Amino acid sequence: MDCLTFATLNASANLVSKGVASDKLSGFWGENTRGSLNNGFGMIQSCNNSKTRKFKPGFAHAVYTPDINKDSAVIQGPIFQSPKANPENVAAIILGGGAGTRLFPLTSRRAKPAVPIAGCYRLIDIPMSNCINSGMRKVYVLTQYNSFSLNGHLSRTYNFGNGVNFGDGFVEVLAATQTPGEAGSKWFQGTADAVRRFIWVFEDAKNKNIEHILIISGDHLCRMDYMKLLEKHVASNAEITVSCVPMDDSRASDFGLMKTDRKGRIIEFAEQPKGLDLKAMQADTTLLGLSAEEAQKYPYIASMGVYVFRTETLLKLLRWSCPSCNDFGSELIPSALKDHKVQAYMFRDYWKDIGTLKSFFDANLALTEQHPNFEFHDSKRPFFTSPRFLPPTKVEKCKIVDAIISHGCFLSGCSVQHSIVGVRSRLEPGVELQDTMMMGADYYQTESEIASLLKQGKVPIGVGENTKIRNCIIDKNAKIGSDVIIANSDGVQEADRPKEGFYIRSGIVVIVKNATIKDGTII
């Protein structure tokens, strides 16, 4: 039987097929139906006769055979594709945070993104790893407060030579600085102002192909594919896209809240509303794909503090439209709603804001559960951190239940339950840790150094014999002696004891970095 044959069409030819180019949107949470403009106009399968006619190039020919088997030929028409997002045309800006007062005293000597988490990581590793795993290789980190530790970690970890290799990408720190003029004499006044001060960076020659700018908060715990956010931003033809999560009543007032129309366009935005203003921001979250039961439990749409801007839109807002807006959530986003298309993007996976000491503590201990909602381990999308080249942890006659033990630790005759033990930690016989986050140490002390300190009546780094600790955060390089009890048995909620080496926040005892707690102390 003869075969139906299509030759290549001239490049200047046009083909319009009715119904093929329809853009099928399944709401702003679904995916668009996509195809490829590179598909052939005719695709032939299963020809029973190998004989074909030869034609001159540049012309279209067809041979019609009336007795052709209808099942033997499948013709696929053109499918028109919406623009695709390209990670090479995106620059990510990770916000280094303000003074970090809500995480104090952990931020007394370090920036918020430099705070250790999960025993061996730092908060900055979360957005940095998400960028890398999303294919985004152009990353800026904006810093201002206590940035020494953060800068050191970034240079050790995300360095072309020693750490994660970015290929043609880069990681650059944009440190707060003062410039000539009245405005330049002040430090950053907010998140938007921080980006405004470096607006010239995105007008630089090497960034002329940057079409979109991704703004990321540096104090969240989540595994997020930023490319999905970017693709939705491009597909919806938005000028600004705000990533959001459903939120319950108990925490809603801590976040920027929004209302959307049925197409996902944000029509109202309020930053941390209270009282009646909070109630007014309740939304029908069934529009987000939640069930009626879930929507009743989560009646708010909360901003994650993750935004995508078209580059020209962001530059226009910062320089001309909103020159006095200093913060993205409370000022710039609400101001942009009227004249710009601002879309919502629903993130339905695990996300935790860890901007407060209590939320930080709870998020860490939740990692120790047998079936945690979030895990750092993922062979395909790993989280990166500084390569330390530490030996395996050594454990002798210990009882360990639901715990995370990091690299290079020495545990002897101790009990660890529902706790995290950070890198280079040392726990002596009789130690009991429960509901505790121990951040570890920056360096080792040798056996001879430890013996010498004990002989002089001093306390070495680590936790001494027969010490009982619960509901506590132990910052790095802390020296806790023998027979110490840290339990806050009186249930004190807030206390400042800097001279004694600890604070109490939300009922959690925090042993500060480099503190010394003498033998026999009871807290």
Side-chain angles (χ1 to χ4, degrees):
M1 181 171 58
D2 289 332
C3 184
L4 179 65
T5 306
F6 278 11
T8 304
L9 287 174
N10 191 305
S12 64
N14 274 326
L15 179 63
V16 179
S17 178
K18 184 177 180 181
V20 172
S22 62
D23 187 14
K24 297 181 180 179
L25 287 173
S26 55
F28 58 103
W29 316 124
E31 294 295 327
N32 292 342
T33 302
R34 290 178 178 173
S36 174
L37 285 172
N38 295 325
N39 289 338
F41 289 112
M43 296 181 65
I44 307 304
Q45 297 176 354
S46 182
C47 292
N48 295 331
N49 192 337
S50 60
K51 295 181 180 180
T52 60
R53 292 177 60 185
K54 294 183 179 180
F55 302 104
K56 295 181 180 180
F59 293 87
H61 297 265
V63 177
Y64 175 70
T65 307
D67 61 342
I68 187 170
N69 184 347
K70 292 183 180 179
D71 294 332
S72 67
V74 178
I75 303 177
Q76 178 175 327
I79 299 176
F80 296 100
Q81 182 177 359
S82 57
K84 279 190 175 181
N86 184 355
E88 295 183 2
N89 296 335
V90 181
I93 301 176
I94 301 175
L95 303 174
T101 53
R102 296 189 301 164
L103 274 178
F104 183 86
L106 301 180
T107 52
S108 60
R109 298 189 181 185
R110 59 168 78 91
K112 191 191 303 183
V115 173
I117 185 173
C120 63
Y121 300 95
R122 296 189 186 231
L123 290 180
I124 190 67
D125 293 327
I126 311 303
M128 280 298 311
S129 299
N130 284 334
C131 284
I132 296 169
N133 293 327
S134 300
M136 297 180 183
R137 299 292 192 266
K138 299 172 182 178
V139 183
Y140 295 95
V141 181
L142 278 169
T143 65
Q144 178 164 327
Y145 294 95
N146 290 329
S147 59
F148 175 77
S149 178
L150 176 62
N151 293 344
H153 178 75
L154 289 170
S155 64
R156 288 190 302 271
T157 309
Y158 307 101
N159 180 304
F160 295 115
N162 302 322
V164 179
N165 193 323
F166 277 78
D168 295 331
F170 56 80
V171 179
E172 293 186 7
V173 174
L174 301 178
T177 184
Q178 292 185 333
T179 56
E182 183 179 350
S185 64
K186 300 176 182 178
W187 296 112
F188 295 158
Q189 302 300 301
T191 54
D193 182 61
V195 177
R196 181 185 290 112
R197 300 291 187 91
F198 287 99
I199 202 170
W200 56 269
V201 171
F202 304 102
E203 298 171 339
D204 191 69
K206 73 174 182 179
N207 288 325
K208 284 192 174 178
N209 66 331
I210 299 298
E211 298 177 0
H212 306 281
I213 296 177
L214 176 67
I215 310 290
I216 310 168
S217 178
D219 57 358
H220 295 162
L221 180 59
C222 69
R223 178 179 276 105
M224 185 173 183
D225 185 351
Y226 296 138
M227 276 305 298
K228 290 184 179 180
L229 167 62
L230 185 68
E231 286 168 358
K232 184 58 65 178
H233 171 74
V234 173
S236 62
N237 197 32
E239 294 174 277
I240 306 169
T241 299
V242 181
S243 188
C244 57
V245 291
M247 187 59 60
D248 57 25
D249 276 300
S250 63
R251 298 177 295 158
S253 61
D254 294 332
F255 301 96
L257 303 179
M258 66 193 81
K259 288 184 176 181
T260 67
D261 63 17
R262 292 188 173 274
K263 293 184 178 180
R265 182 165 182 167
I266 299 174
I267 56 177
E268 191 174 347
F269 193 101
E271 183 72 7
Q272 298 181 349
K274 313 290 182 187
L276 294 176
D277 292 335
L278 174 63
K279 294 297 181 183
M281 291 306 297
Q282 288 188 349
D284 180 10
T285 50
T286 57
L287 295 175
L288 316 181
L290 273 67
S291 66
E293 185 179 352
E294 289 174 327
Q296 196 169 16
K297 185 179 179 181
Y298 300 103
Y300 297 97
I301 308 173
S303 169
M304 294 171 58
V306 178
Y307 317 103
V308 181
F309 289 82
R310 288 186 194 170
T311 302
E312 65 271 19
T313 300
L314 180 60
L315 299 185
K316 176 185 175 183
L317 286 169
L318 292 175
R319 177 166 284 175
W320 307 112
S321 303
C322 307
S324 61
C325 292
N326 291 327
D327 187 75
F328 282 113
S330 62
E331 298 175 285
L332 193 136
I333 298 295
S335 299
L337 295 182
K338 182 180 178 181
D339 299 321
H340 298 275
K341 186 178 182 182
V342 185
Q343 289 287 126
Y345 169 83
M346 176 56 61
F347 181 69
R348 295 296 302 273
D349 209 337
Y350 177 89
W351 175 80
K352 184 76 171 179
D353 172 57
I354 42 184
T356 67
L357 197 75
K358 179 83 166 65
S359 62
F360 172 80
F361 182 65
D362 291 342
N364 272 277
L365 294 190
L367 298 172
T368 68
E369 297 171 0
Q370 292 191 18
H371 301 287
N373 292 323
F374 179 86
E375 290 188 277
F376 275 82
H377 172 71
D378 188 323
S379 58
K380 294 182 178 179
R381 302 180 66 83
F383 283 98
F384 304 97
T385 192
S386 176
R388 299 181 178 90
F389 310 110
L390 295 173
T393 287
K394 185 175 183 181
V395 179
E396 298 177 350
K397 301 178 181 179
C398 297
K399 179 183 177 181
I400 301 174
V401 180
D402 296 341
I404 293 175
I405 312 296
S406 298
H407 325 88
C409 300
F410 295 90
L411 281 62
S412 177
C414 61
S415 171
V416 181
Q417 183 174 348
H418 196 231
S419 298
I420 291 177
V421 179
V423 294
R424 304 185 188 89
S425 292
R426 183 180 60 84
L427 304 180
E428 298 293 355
V431 168
E432 293 181 10
L433 288 189
Q434 183 177 349
D435 301 327
T436 293
M437 181 191 179
M438 185 174 182
M439 292 185 177
D442 291 319
Y443 57 93
Y444 284 119
Q445 289 177 326
T446 64
E447 293 297 326
S448 60
E449 287 175 330
I450 293 171
S452 176
L453 289 169
L454 292 173
K455 188 175 181 180
Q456 298 174 50
K458 296 181 179 180
V459 182
I461 292 176
V463 183
E465 294 182 0
N466 302 315
T467 288
K468 320 296 182 188
I469 303 175
R470 64 179 303 170
N471 201 43
C472 181
I473 297 175
I474 305 171
D475 207 337
K476 283 196 168 184
N477 308 329
K479 308 172 185 69
I480 301 176
S482 301
D483 302 306
V484 172
I485 296 177
I486 302 175
N488 189 17
S489 56
D490 293 334
V492 177
Q493 290 299 300
E494 305 290 328
D496 293 1
R497 300 287 188 274
K499 293 182 179 179
E500 299 170 42
F502 72 92
Y503 291 80
I504 299 178
R505 291 289 184 268
S506 302
I508 304 163
V509 179
V510 183
I511 308 299
V512 301
K513 187 175 182 178
N514 300 321
T516 299
I517 307 298
K518 296 181 179 179
D519 295 351
T521 300
I522 298 177
I523 301 176

